[in-house]
């Protein structure tokens, strides 16, 4: 059954344009989603601490990202009724599973960044030689 079928008979197909799984994948693998999930794998964070951890993200983008990840069931938002309100974000069990896999990918990329830089240099040198 296609991705737009009834929920209980759903077969996700991320390659299908209208499939919900594609939007979920975008939330998880977008720059800020990946970094937020990976950071939250270290433990719960308050909003501003998470924003400092995910260097470069704007307040608005982080808020939108966390809201999307919460809606998808990856992030739990705990708001304590204090003045000012204390809000803490953590991973759900599903979020922890996804974050673990993202952290593996991040580790692979970080561990091979020298290879990537060498490939870029070789590519740029080849392109420059062809352009002459």
């Amino acid at each position: 059954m296609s991705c737009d079928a009834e929920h209980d008979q759903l077969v996700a197909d991320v390659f299908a344009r209208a499939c919900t799984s594609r939007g979920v994948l975008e939330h998880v693998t977008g720059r800020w989603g990946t970094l937020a999930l990976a950071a939250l794998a270290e433990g719960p964070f308050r909003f501003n601490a998470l924003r400092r951890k995910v260097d470069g993200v704007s307040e608005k983008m982080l808020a939108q990202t966390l809201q999307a990840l919460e809606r998808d069931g990856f992030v739990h938002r705990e708001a304590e009724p204090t003045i000012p309100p204390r809000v803490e974000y953590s991973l759900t069990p599903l979020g922890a599973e996804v974050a673990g896999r993202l952290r593996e990918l991040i580790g692979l990329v970080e561990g091979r960044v020298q290879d990537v830089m060498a490939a870029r240099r070789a590519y740029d040198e080849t392109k420059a030689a062809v352009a002459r």
Side-chain angles (χ1 to χ4, degrees):
M1 192 159 285
S2 69
C3 189
D4 58 359
E6 289 298 316
H7 179 69
D8 59 344
Q9 299 175 16
L10 178 71
V11 175
D13 179 3
V14 76
F15 294 103
R17 176 184 356 204
C19 187
T20 303
S21 65
R22 186 178 285 190
V24 174
L25 186 65
E26 288 174 14
H27 294 157
V28 169
T29 62
R31 176 181 5 178
W32 305 124
T34 297
L35 294 174
L37 287 167
L40 287 168
E42 297 175 10
F45 278 88
R46 290 181 65 182
F47 183 86
N48 285 326
L50 184 58
R51 186 165 169 231
R52 285 189 298 275
K53 176 74 174 171
V54 182
D55 190 27
V57 67
S58 70
E59 186 174 326
K60 178 181 177 183
M61 280 308 305
L62 182 57
Q64 289 175 349
T65 298
L66 290 170
Q67 186 175 28
L69 293 172
E70 180 184 9
R71 183 172 184 249
D72 290 342
F74 299 115
V75 170
H76 174 72
R77 180 181 183 273
E78 182 73 33
E80 295 179 18
T82 59
I83 299 175
R86 177 184 165 90
V87 179
E88 189 171 79
Y89 295 89
S90 60
L91 294 176
T92 64
L94 176 60
E97 183 179 352
V98 170
R101 295 187 186 209
L102 288 172
R103 288 179 67 89
E104 288 176 19
L105 178 60
I106 290 167
L108 174 65
V109 169
E110 288 177 339
R112 301 298 299 263
V113 75
Q114 293 299 328
D115 296 328
V116 172
M117 297 306 293
R120 286 182 178 182
R121 281 191 299 276
Y123 178 89
D124 292 345
E125 289 168 5
T126 301
K127 285 294 186 182
V130 170
R132 289 186 212 145

